[in-house]
Coordinates of all heavy atoms in Angstrom, one line a residue:
K383 N -10.8 -21.8 -43.8 CA -10.9 -21.0 -45.1 C -12.0 -19.9 -44.8 O -13.1 -20.3 -44.3 CB -11.3 -21.9 -46.2 CG -11.5 -21.2 -47.5 CD -11.9 -22.1 -48.7 CE -12.0 -21.4 -50.0 NZ -12.5 -22.5 -51.0
Q384 N -11.7 -18.7 -45.2 CA -12.7 -17.6 -45.0 C -13.0 -17.1 -46.4 O -12.2 -16.6 -47.1 CB -12.1 -16.5 -44.2 CG -11.7 -16.9 -42.8 CD -11.2 -15.7 -41.9 OE1 -11.8 -14.6 -42.0 NE2 -10.1 -15.9 -41.3
N385 N -14.3 -17.4 -46.8 CA -14.8 -16.8 -48.0 C -15.3 -15.3 -47.7 O -16.3 -15.2 -47.1 CB -15.9 -17.7 -48.6 CG -15.4 -18.9 -49.2 OD1 -14.2 -19.0 -49.6 ND2 -16.2 -19.9 -49.2
L386 N -14.6 -14.4 -48.2 CA -14.9 -13.0 -47.8 C -15.7 -12.3 -49.0 O -15.2 -12.4 -50.2 CB -13.6 -12.2 -47.6 CG -12.7 -12.8 -46.5 CD1 -11.4 -12.0 -46.6 CD2 -13.2 -12.7 -45.1
N387 N -16.8 -11.7 -48.8 CA -17.5 -11.0 -49.9 C -17.2 -9.5 -49.7 O -16.6 -9.0 -48.8 CB -19.0 -11.2 -49.7 CG -19.6 -10.4 -48.5 OD1 -18.9 -10.2 -47.5 ND2 -20.8 -10.0 -48.7
G388 N -17.4 -8.8 -50.7 CA -17.1 -7.3 -50.9 C -18.1 -6.5 -50.0 O -19.0 -6.9 -49.5
Q389 N -17.9 -5.2 -50.2 CA -18.8 -4.2 -49.6 C -20.2 -4.4 -50.1 O -20.3 -4.7 -51.3 CB -18.3 -2.9 -49.8 CG -19.1 -1.7 -49.1 CD -18.4 -0.5 -49.2 OE1 -17.1 -0.4 -49.3 NE2 -19.1 0.6 -49.0
R390 N -21.1 -4.1 -49.3 CA -22.6 -4.3 -49.6 C -22.9 -3.4 -50.9 O -22.6 -2.2 -50.9 CB -23.5 -4.0 -48.5 CG -24.9 -4.3 -48.8 CD -25.7 -4.3 -47.5 NE -27.0 -5.0 -47.7 CZ -27.9 -5.4 -46.8 NH1 -27.5 -5.2 -45.4 NH2 -29.0 -5.9 -47.0
P391 N -23.6 -4.1 -52.0 CA -23.9 -3.3 -53.2 C -25.0 -2.4 -52.9 O -25.9 -2.6 -52.0 CB -24.2 -4.3 -54.2 CG -24.7 -5.5 -53.4 CD -23.8 -5.5 -52.1
A392 N -25.1 -1.3 -53.7 CA -26.1 -0.3 -53.5 C -27.5 -1.0 -53.9 O -28.5 -0.7 -53.2 CB -25.9 0.9 -54.3
L393 N -27.5 -1.8 -55.0 CA -28.7 -2.5 -55.4 C -28.5 -4.0 -55.0 O -27.6 -4.5 -55.5 CB -28.9 -2.3 -56.9 CG -29.1 -0.9 -57.4 CD1 -29.2 -0.8 -58.9 CD2 -30.5 -0.4 -56.7
P394 N -29.5 -4.5 -54.3 CA -29.5 -6.0 -54.0 C -29.5 -6.9 -55.3 O -30.2 -6.5 -56.2 CB -30.8 -6.2 -53.2 CG -31.2 -4.8 -52.7 CD -30.7 -3.9 -53.8
H395 N -28.8 -8.0 -55.2 CA -28.8 -9.0 -56.2 C -29.2 -10.4 -55.6 O -29.5 -10.5 -54.4 CB -27.6 -9.0 -57.0 CG -26.3 -9.2 -56.2 ND1 -26.0 -10.4 -55.6 CD2 -25.3 -8.3 -55.8 CE1 -24.9 -10.2 -54.9 NE2 -24.5 -8.9 -55.0
V396 N -29.1 -11.4 -56.3 CA -29.6 -12.8 -55.9 C -28.8 -13.2 -54.7 O -29.4 -13.8 -53.8 CB -29.5 -13.8 -57.0 CG1 -28.1 -14.0 -57.5 CG2 -30.2 -15.1 -56.6
E397 N -27.5 -12.9 -54.6 CA -26.8 -13.4 -53.4 C -27.1 -12.6 -52.2 O -26.7 -13.1 -51.0 CB -25.3 -13.1 -53.8 CG -24.8 -13.8 -54.9 CD -25.0 -15.4 -54.9 OE1 -24.8 -15.9 -53.7 OE2 -25.3 -16.0 -55.9
E398 N -27.9 -11.6 -52.2 CA -28.4 -10.9 -51.0 C -29.6 -11.6 -50.4 O -30.0 -11.1 -49.2 CB -28.9 -9.5 -51.4 CG -27.7 -8.6 -51.9 CD -26.6 -8.4 -50.9 OE1 -26.9 -7.8 -49.8 OE2 -25.5 -8.8 -51.1
R399 N -30.1 -12.6 -51.0 CA -31.3 -13.3 -50.4 C -30.9 -14.4 -49.6 O -31.8 -15.2 -49.2 CB -32.2 -13.7 -51.5 CG -32.8 -12.5 -52.4 CD -34.1 -12.9 -53.1 NE -33.9 -14.0 -54.1 CZ -33.7 -13.8 -55.4 NH1 -33.6 -12.6 -55.7 NH2 -33.5 -14.8 -56.2
V400 N -29.7 -14.4 -49.1 CA -29.3 -15.6 -48.3 C -29.6 -15.3 -46.9 O -29.8 -14.2 -46.5 CB -27.7 -16.0 -48.5 CG1 -27.5 -16.4 -49.9 CG2 -27.0 -14.7 -48.1
S401 N -29.7 -16.4 -46.1 CA -30.1 -16.3 -44.7 C -29.3 -15.3 -43.8 O -29.9 -14.5 -43.1 CB -30.1 -17.7 -44.0 OG -28.9 -18.3 -44.1
E402 N -28.0 -15.4 -43.9 CA -27.3 -14.6 -42.9 C -27.4 -13.1 -43.1 O -27.3 -12.2 -42.3 CB -25.8 -14.9 -42.9 CG -25.0 -14.9 -44.2 CD -25.0 -16.1 -44.9 OE1 -26.0 -16.9 -44.8 OE2 -24.0 -16.4 -45.7
V403 N -27.6 -12.7 -44.5 CA -27.8 -11.3 -44.8 C -29.2 -10.8 -44.2 O -29.3 -9.7 -43.6 CB -27.8 -11.0 -46.2 CG1 -28.2 -9.6 -46.7 CG2 -26.3 -11.3 -46.8
W404 N -30.2 -11.6 -44.4 CA -31.5 -11.3 -43.8 C -31.5 -11.2 -42.4 O -32.2 -10.2 -41.9 CB -32.5 -12.3 -44.3 CG -33.9 -12.0 -44.0 CD1 -34.9 -11.4 -44.7 CD2 -34.6 -12.4 -42.7 NE1 -36.1 -11.2 -44.0 CE2 -35.9 -11.9 -42.8 CE3 -34.2 -12.9 -41.5 CZ2 -36.8 -11.8 -41.7 CZ3 -35.0 -13.0 -40.4 CH2 -36.4 -12.5 -40.5
V405 N -30.9 -12.1 -41.7 CA -30.7 -12.1 -40.2 C -30.1 -10.8 -39.8 O -30.7 -10.1 -38.9 CB -30.0 -13.3 -39.8 CG1 -29.7 -13.2 -38.3 CG2 -30.8 -14.6 -40.0
L406 N -29.0 -10.4 -40.4 CA -28.3 -9.3 -39.8 C -29.2 -8.0 -40.1 O -29.1 -7.1 -39.3 CB -27.0 -9.0 -40.6 CG -25.9 -10.1 -40.1 CD1 -24.6 -9.8 -40.9 CD2 -25.7 -10.0 -38.5
D407 N -30.0 -8.0 -41.2 CA -30.9 -6.9 -41.5 C -32.1 -6.8 -40.5 O -32.7 -5.8 -40.4 CB -31.4 -6.9 -42.9 CG -30.5 -6.6 -44.0 OD1 -29.4 -6.0 -43.6 OD2 -30.7 -6.8 -45.1
H408 N -32.4 -7.9 -39.8 CA -33.6 -7.9 -39.0 C -33.2 -8.2 -37.5 O -34.2 -8.3 -36.7 CB -34.5 -9.0 -39.5 CG -35.2 -8.7 -40.8 ND1 -34.5 -8.9 -42.0 CD2 -36.3 -8.0 -41.2 CE1 -35.3 -8.5 -43.0 NE2 -36.4 -8.0 -42.5
A409 N -31.9 -8.3 -37.2 CA -31.6 -8.7 -35.9 C -31.1 -7.6 -35.0 O -31.3 -6.4 -35.3 CB -30.6 -9.9 -35.9
N410 N -30.5 -7.9 -33.8 CA -30.0 -6.9 -32.9 C -28.7 -6.4 -33.4 O -28.0 -7.0 -34.3 CB -29.8 -7.6 -31.5 CG -30.9 -8.5 -31.2 OD1 -30.8 -9.6 -30.7 ND2 -32.2 -8.0 -31.3
P411 N -28.3 -5.2 -32.8 CA -27.0 -4.6 -33.3 C -25.8 -5.5 -32.9 O -24.7 -5.4 -33.6 CB -26.9 -3.3 -32.5 CG -28.3 -3.1 -32.2 CD -29.0 -4.3 -32.0
N412 N -25.9 -6.5 -31.9 CA -24.7 -7.2 -31.7 C -24.8 -8.7 -32.2 O -24.0 -9.5 -32.0 CB -24.6 -7.3 -30.1 CG -25.7 -8.2 -29.5 OD1 -26.8 -8.3 -30.1 ND2 -25.4 -8.9 -28.4
T413 N -25.8 -9.0 -33.1 CA -26.1 -10.3 -33.6 C -24.9 -10.6 -34.6 O -24.6 -9.7 -35.5 CB -27.4 -10.5 -34.3 OG1 -28.4 -10.1 -33.3 CG2 -27.6 -12.0 -34.9
I414 N -24.4 -11.9 -34.7 CA -23.4 -12.3 -35.6 C -24.1 -13.4 -36.4 O -24.9 -14.2 -35.8 CB -22.2 -12.7 -35.1 CG1 -22.2 -13.8 -34.1 CG2 -21.5 -11.5 -34.6 CD1 -20.9 -14.4 -33.6
A415 N -23.8 -13.7 -37.7 CA -24.4 -14.6 -38.6 C -23.4 -15.1 -39.5 O -22.6 -14.4 -40.1 CB -25.5 -14.0 -39.2
F416 N -23.3 -16.5 -39.6 CA -22.3 -17.1 -40.5 C -23.1 -18.3 -41.3 O -23.8 -19.0 -40.7 CB -21.2 -17.6 -39.8 CG -20.3 -16.7 -39.2 CD1 -20.3 -16.2 -37.8 CD2 -19.2 -16.1 -39.9 CE1 -19.5 -15.4 -37.3 CE2 -18.4 -15.2 -39.4 CZ -18.5 -14.9 -38.0
C417 N -22.5 -18.5 -42.5 CA -22.7 -19.7 -43.3 C -21.4 -20.5 -42.9 O -20.3 -20.1 -43.1 CB -22.9 -19.5 -44.7 SG -22.8 -20.9 -45.6
V418 N -21.7 -21.8 -42.3 CA -20.6 -22.6 -41.9 C -20.5 -23.8 -42.9 O -21.5 -24.6 -43.0 CB -20.8 -23.1 -40.5 CG1 -19.5 -24.0 -40.1 CG2 -20.8 -21.9 -39.5
E419 N -19.4 -24.0 -43.6 CA -19.4 -25.1 -44.5 C -18.4 -26.1 -44.0 O -17.2 -25.8 -43.8 CB -19.1 -24.6 -46.0 CG -20.1 -23.9 -46.6 CD -19.9 -23.8 -48.0 OE1 -18.8 -23.8 -48.5 OE2 -21.0 -23.5 -48.8
T420 N -18.8 -27.4 -43.9 CA -17.8 -28.4 -43.4 C -17.5 -29.3 -44.6 O -18.5 -29.9 -45.2 CB -18.5 -29.3 -42.3 OG1 -18.9 -28.3 -41.3 CG2 -17.7 -30.4 -41.8
P421 N -16.3 -29.6 -44.9 CA -15.9 -30.5 -46.0 C -16.4 -31.8 -45.9 O -16.4 -32.4 -44.9 CB -14.3 -30.4 -45.9 CG -14.0 -30.1 -44.5 CD -15.1 -29.1 -44.1
W422 N -16.8 -32.3 -47.0 CA -17.3 -33.7 -47.1 C -16.5 -34.7 -47.8 O -16.6 -36.0 -47.4 CB -18.8 -33.7 -47.7 CG -18.8 -33.1 -49.1 CD1 -18.9 -31.7 -49.4 CD2 -18.6 -33.7 -50.4 NE1 -18.8 -31.6 -50.7 CE2 -18.7 -32.8 -51.3 CE3 -18.4 -35.2 -50.7 CZ2 -18.6 -33.1 -52.7 CZ3 -18.3 -35.4 -52.1 CH2 -18.3 -34.4 -53.0
N423 N -15.8 -34.3 -48.7 CA -14.9 -35.1 -49.6 C -13.6 -35.4 -49.0 O -12.5 -35.5 -49.6 CB -14.8 -34.5 -50.9 CG -14.6 -35.5 -52.1 OD1 -15.0 -36.7 -51.9 ND2 -14.1 -35.1 -53.2
I424 N -13.6 -35.9 -47.7 CA -12.4 -36.2 -46.9 C -12.8 -37.5 -46.1 O -13.9 -37.8 -45.8 CB -12.1 -35.2 -46.0 CG1 -13.1 -34.7 -45.0 CG2 -11.6 -33.9 -46.8 CD1 -12.7 -33.6 -44.1
P425 N -11.7 -38.2 -45.5 CA -12.0 -39.4 -44.7 C -12.9 -39.1 -43.5 O -13.6 -40.0 -43.0 CB -10.6 -39.9 -44.4 CG -9.6 -39.3 -45.4 CD -10.2 -38.1 -45.9
E426 N -12.8 -37.9 -43.0 CA -13.6 -37.5 -41.8 C -15.1 -37.1 -42.1 O -15.8 -36.7 -41.2 CB -12.9 -36.3 -41.2 CG -11.5 -36.6 -40.5 CD -10.4 -36.6 -41.7 OE1 -10.7 -36.1 -42.7 OE2 -9.3 -37.1 -41.3
G427 N -15.4 -37.2 -43.5 CA -16.9 -36.9 -43.9 C -17.8 -38.1 -43.5 O -18.5 -38.6 -44.3
T428 N -17.7 -38.4 -42.2 CA -18.6 -39.5 -41.6 C -19.4 -38.9 -40.5 O -19.1 -37.8 -39.9 CB -17.8 -40.6 -41.1 OG1 -16.9 -40.1 -40.1 CG2 -16.8 -41.2 -42.2
P429 N -20.4 -39.6 -40.0 CA -21.2 -39.2 -38.8 C -20.2 -38.8 -37.6 O -20.3 -37.8 -36.9 CB -22.1 -40.3 -38.5 CG -22.4 -40.9 -39.8 CD -21.1 -40.9 -40.5
A430 N -19.2 -39.6 -37.4 CA -18.3 -39.4 -36.2 C -17.4 -38.1 -36.5 O -17.2 -37.4 -35.6 CB -17.4 -40.7 -36.1
G431 N -16.9 -38.0 -37.7 CA -16.3 -36.8 -38.1 C -17.0 -35.5 -38.0 O -16.4 -34.5 -37.5
Y432 N -18.3 -35.5 -38.4 CA -19.1 -34.4 -38.4 C -19.4 -34.1 -36.9 O -19.5 -32.9 -36.6 CB -20.3 -34.6 -39.2 CG -20.2 -34.7 -40.8 CD1 -20.7 -35.6 -41.4 CD2 -19.5 -33.6 -41.4 CE1 -20.6 -35.8 -42.9 CE2 -19.4 -33.7 -42.7 CZ -20.0 -34.7 -43.5 OH -19.8 -34.8 -44.8
A433 N -19.6 -35.1 -36.2 CA -19.9 -34.9 -34.7 C -18.7 -34.1 -34.1 O -19.1 -33.2 -33.2 CB -20.1 -36.1 -33.9
I434 N -17.6 -34.3 -34.4 CA -16.4 -33.6 -33.7 C -16.6 -32.1 -34.2 O -16.3 -31.2 -33.4 CB -15.1 -34.2 -34.2 CG1 -14.9 -35.5 -33.7 CG2 -13.9 -33.3 -33.9 CD1 -13.7 -36.3 -34.2
V435 N -17.0 -31.8 -35.5 CA -17.1 -30.5 -35.8 C -18.2 -29.8 -35.1 O -18.1 -28.7 -34.6 CB -17.5 -30.4 -37.4 CG1 -17.8 -29.0 -37.8 CG2 -16.3 -30.9 -38.2
G436 N -19.3 -30.5 -34.9 CA -20.4 -29.8 -34.0 C -20.0 -29.5 -32.6 O -20.3 -28.5 -32.1
E437 N -19.2 -30.4 -32.0 CA -18.7 -30.2 -30.7 C -17.8 -29.0 -30.6 O -17.9 -28.1 -29.8 CB -17.9 -31.4 -30.2 CG -17.3 -31.3 -28.8 CD -16.6 -32.5 -28.3 OE1 -16.9 -33.6 -28.8 OE2 -15.8 -32.4 -27.4
K438 N -16.9 -28.8 -31.6 CA -16.0 -27.7 -31.7 C -16.7 -26.4 -31.9 O -16.4 -25.3 -31.3 CB -15.0 -27.9 -32.8 CG -13.9 -29.0 -32.6 CD -12.9 -29.1 -33.7 CE -11.8 -30.1 -33.3 NZ -10.8 -30.1 -34.4

Side-chain angles (χ1 to χ4, degrees):
K383 182 178 180 181
Q384 298 183 50
N385 285 336
L386 307 172
N387 74 327
Q389 185 164 338
R390 186 164 193 164
L393 295 175
H395 51 73
V396 66
E397 300 302 324
E398 296 296 299
R399 296 201 297 265
V400 297
S401 56
E402 60 268 28
V403 172
W404 185 93
V405 168
L406 290 180
D407 283 346
H408 294 81
N410 317 133
N412 70 334
T413 302
I414 57 173
F416 290 95
C417 170
V418 182
E419 292 196 334
T420 300
W422 55 272
N423 209 20
I424 57 176
E426 295 79 15
T428 62
Y432 289 131
I434 293 172
V435 174
E437 177 178 337
K438 287 183 175 182

